[in-house]
Amino acid sequence: MIEEYYSKGCQYCSGLSSSIFKSLSSEQYDLLNRKQTCNTYKKGDILYREGSRITGFYCVKSGKFKIYKTGIDYKPQIIAFARTGDITGYRSVLSNEPACTTLEALEDSEVCFIPGEVIFKLIRENPDFSLAIIKLTCKELDHANVFIKDIAQKTVKERLAEILLMLEEYFALDSDDFININLTREDIASIIGTATESVIRILGDLKNERLIELKGKKIKILDKKKIKLIAESILK
Amino acid sequence: MIEEYYSKGCQYCSGLSSSIFKSLSSEQYDLLNRKQTCNTYKKGDILYREGSRITGFYCVKSGKFKIYKTGIDYKPQIIAFARTGDITGYRSVLSNEPACTTLEALEDSEVCFIPGEVIFKLIRENPDFSLAIIKLTCKELDHANVFIKDIAQKTVKERLAEILLMLEEYFALDSDDFININLTREDIASIIGTATESVIRILGDLKNERLIELKGKKIKILDKKKIKLIAESILK
DNA sequence: CGGAACTTTGACACGTCTCAAATGCCGTGG
DNA sequence: CCACGGCATTTGAGACGTGTCAAAGTTCCG
């Protein structure tokens, strides 16, 4: 009975202490569980597209996603990633505007959908929830600003080094100590704003310098200290 | 009496319908007026510095500001501007972290300071106020993401064209139809992430193409349509 | 097994940065 | 009020990083 009750919902959306939902009262928590619905998606599936209307939050139960904007000649610019426990789509819902990014699954995934009206109700009822959302957006805003500075001032190699560190931090390691994410060279290029060939060449350089190891799409950081120095523009 | 009462406060912080304070009740409005204090600053003054602690919001009563992060070799990266009616510093207060940017006056200015505790009180009491802040941060976040895409994918000339349009939109025109802001070539370079000399050369090109007019630091857009096409990567 | 997508390599062109030097502008102090 | 010093602007030459294009090799997946 309890099993069935919770099967609609998602523990990451409501239960984790790290989540923005941690301040909810038990009634609010129940409301959330009742109103949310889960779906599964396959690699390559697009949950929503830039410019479309979205009506609620998406909470990642499992899987990984890339979040991107579309630029000149449909060239994608990856703005962020999402992993288990992350929330996306809130910006557009909260400001009642069309989605400003596209959300695409990087692997098979499960995602909960939380209707916008639930969110607005929670904001009205629970100031701590509002504050949690405010903090979340402020944090993302700072990340975005740091990235603007980096992309404007650093070389491609420095940016690549930085992104490798970010990916390791964000997606952690698999059982062989490789960064636990599969991205194409093109994906990586579209994070740091460069050409696919440049990514390939610089990854090759880093490999020759014995700072990283490559196995297909998998990347392992061998010398984190030096990678950091490169990312900080201290070592060339 | 009334004059004196309001002289502490600032009509832009509390009275304008466009402000985030428009949803305040009359008591909340009074609280805001009682607790805020105004100061004057001179061109070049720094109100707060990246990394320092700030304890409240800054609301611009008059004047103009640049908001920047400091990068490699102390090279500044301008993230945003502030003008009359704008609020800054809220990110750091709301997330209780050190300031992530520096705020510097571009001309003599007046600024109101609103203590953080007032803000938090308003958030607790007034969900509409929370929602206004959330919308504000979401909007800024989207701007930041658009700019990441642009800086990553566009050429210097395209970015410069885009920034000229942004500056005209944001600072409007003076009596001679020039954009109403004085920025050094270096400032402009540090918005779009390029070298000062590149800005000078490309401004010169645009002038020769009769798309803009230059008079010292002042810039006038002569052919907005073509500038837009350049900014959109349609015209080279 | 075949085809499509992805990766790799090379050659080359071009945009942009760097450095250097000259000139112009402006506020400060004599 | 003028002269000075410092800062901003401008211009040129050259180097370098990165993007582009083309072609071949590889991996992935139906």
Side-chain angles (χ1 to χ4, degrees), chain B residues 67-130:
Chain B
I67 300 171
Y68 57 90
K69 279 183 168 297
T70 303
I72 320 301
D73 294 330
Y74 302 100
K75 191 172 166 190
Q77 176 67 37
I78 294 180
I79 298 297
F81 294 95
R83 62 175 173 190
T84 300
D86 282 346
I87 310 268
T88 81
Y90 59 88
R91 263 172 287 172
S92 311
V93 175
L94 294 170
S95 24
N96 192 31
E97 289 187 2
C100 54
T101 51
T102 298
L103 180 64
E104 179 178 335
L106 288 167
E107 48 187 62
D108 296 354
S109 305
E110 295 168 282
V111 175
C112 291
F113 179 80
I114 305 166
E117 63 257 30
V118 174
I119 304 299
F120 283 110
K121 186 169 157 61
L122 293 176
I123 289 177
R124 305 222 156 271
E125 290 180 356
N126 188 338
D128 285 324
F129 178 72
S130 300

Side-chain angles (χ1 to χ4, degrees), chain A residues 9-10 26 46 53 99 125 131 138 148 154 158 161 175 194 203 212:
Chain A
C10 156
S26 55
I46 288 179
R53 285 276 161 190
E125 290 180 358
L131 210 47
C138 287
I148 286 174
K154 292 183 176 177
E158 290 162 358
S175 51
T194 189
L203 280 177
I212 64 171

Side-chain angles (χ1 to χ4, degrees), chain A residues 44-63:
Chain A
D45 280 357
I46 288 179
L47 278 72
Y48 56 81
R49 223 176 263 280
E50 188 177 354
S52 66
R53 285 276 161 190
I54 49 183
T55 58
F57 285 25
Y58 295 79
C59 173
V60 179
K61 194 169 176 179
S62 70

